[in-house]
Amino acid sequence: MRTFKLTVSYDGTDFSGFQRQANARSVQAELESALAAIEGKHVTVAGAGRTDSGVHALGQVASFKLANTIAEHDLLRALNAKLPEDVRVLSVDVEAPGFNARFSARSKMYRYRISNTRVMSPFQRRFAWHISRALDVEAMNHAAHGLLGEHDFSSFQAKTSPPTRKGRVQPTLETRTSIRTMTRAIWLEEPLAGGGRLLTFEIAGTGFLKYMVRTIVGTLVEVGDGRRTPASFLELLSSADRASAGPTAPPSGLYLVRVDYDAAAPVSF
């Protein structure tokens, strides 16, 4: 059997997330349904990341095994013919037998978009967070710069996350760590037609905790509107106190941009 790697893009608005769920629509289930029609039996798909309900992907990665001898370019066309319009396979590659989209990954990049306008375009409502009040991007970037490097990101994980170990360990099903290394954390801005700005936060690193990016964004917005200072944001990062962090930003503005598999990169999933 061959091991395949898919790069997938999807509008996450109407999905419960990537991971298959019993009574909700998921990207994994859509992929498995399309593959079952090709293989003639169930095919289990592994995703590089779960992505939460309503979160989008520009470059999610999935892997699976097929006995079918279909060529890569034919598989790409067949999958896109069977998948719904809000999911598209961008590329298909054959990988080494041990490749796994999740466990072979070494880093990921996310992007979060904020429509910082008085009135939000109806064409952005599914794909950005609307904030009409003024935001100080310089202050937000000052705070975001402190995320670079290795830190314990417990302050920004989901409130219901299981306890994590503080320390550098290789993750298994039994052990987890909240230590992550960020290699990029920056706010970018561009003017929007009709006034206002599109603010985009880009963050890349060796791994991410549940709701981590959205909680970082929600807290950085509090820096931007003056409710926090950059210094207090850095104190929060060091405190490992989730209760003191800001709100979790809405899922509509978040995108999984890409997953990297460079063997030289560190891993801490």
Side-chain angles (χ1 to χ4, degrees):
M1 297 181 73
R2 290 176 298 166
T3 298
F4 285 90
K5 170 189 171 187
L6 301 183
T7 301
V8 185
S9 179
Y10 50 86
D11 172 356
T13 306
D14 299 325
F15 288 103
S16 61
F18 180 86
Q19 190 175 27
R20 184 194 322 107
Q21 297 186 34
N23 298 305
R25 187 172 181 240
S26 71
V27 179
Q28 182 183 20
E30 294 287 2
L31 289 171
E32 290 179 343
S33 176
L35 285 166
I38 296 167
E39 182 77 341
K41 63 180 181 180
H42 176 74
V43 176
T44 298
V45 171
R50 295 182 177 183
T51 67
D52 305 319
S53 176
V55 173
H56 316 293
L58 302 177
Q60 170 71 284
V61 175
S63 61
F64 54 89
K65 295 181 184 296
L66 280 188
N68 194 304
T69 58
I70 187 172
E72 293 98 306
H73 63 276
D74 290 331
L75 180 57
L76 186 148
R77 289 190 297 177
L79 285 171
N80 283 329
K82 297 177 184 301
L83 286 166
E85 292 184 344
D86 48 2
V87 183
R88 278 295 170 264
V89 175
L90 304 180
S91 66
V92 175
D93 298 288
V94 175
E95 296 288 337
F99 177 82
N100 180 281
R102 178 184 176 190
F103 297 112
S104 299
R106 292 297 179 268
S107 66
K108 297 177 184 176
M109 178 176 172
Y110 283 90
R111 187 174 292 152
Y112 196 96
R113 301 167 76 242
I114 293 175
S115 177
N116 191 205
T117 58
R118 185 175 64 84
V119 179
M120 186 182 194
S121 165
F123 300 105
Q124 291 292 325
R125 66 182 180 84
R126 292 163 63 102
F127 305 110
W129 181 13
H130 180 219
I131 298 179
S132 59
R133 60 189 181 276
L135 295 175
D136 184 342
V137 178
E138 183 177 353
M140 292 162 70
N141 261 327
H142 185 186
H145 184 76
L147 297 168
L148 296 174
E150 183 180 88
H151 301 281
D152 177 2
F153 284 92
S154 297
S155 297
F156 302 109
Q157 66 182 342
K159 293 180 180 179
T160 56
S161 292
T164 54
R165 296 187 179 187
K166 296 182 180 181
R168 204 175 300 191
V169 298
Q170 287 300 314
T172 67
L173 293 177
E174 294 75 34
T175 64
R176 297 185 179 185
T177 173
S178 51
I179 302 293
R180 299 291 188 272
T181 300
M182 296 299 113
T183 57
R184 181 174 177 82
I186 189 171
W187 285 94
L188 308 169
E189 60 177 309
E190 59 182 281
L192 288 173
R197 304 172 296 173
L198 176 66
L199 305 183
T200 302
F201 180 57
E202 291 187 350
I203 184 167
T206 56
F208 295 86
L209 304 168
K210 185 176 177 60
Y211 297 163
M212 176 176 151
V213 177
R214 290 165 57 195
T215 306
I216 286 174
V217 169
T219 309
L220 286 173
V221 164
E222 292 187 339
V223 173
D225 65 16
R227 283 179 285 171
R228 295 178 187 264
T229 64
S232 68
F233 178 87
L234 298 181
E235 290 171 1
L236 171 65
L237 174 61
S238 300
S239 73
D241 179 15
R242 174 61 183 89
S244 297
T248 303
S252 57
L254 184 60
Y255 301 74
L256 173 57
V257 176
R258 70 170 189 263
V259 184
D260 295 316
Y261 293 88
D262 181 358
V267 61
S268 60
F269 291 108

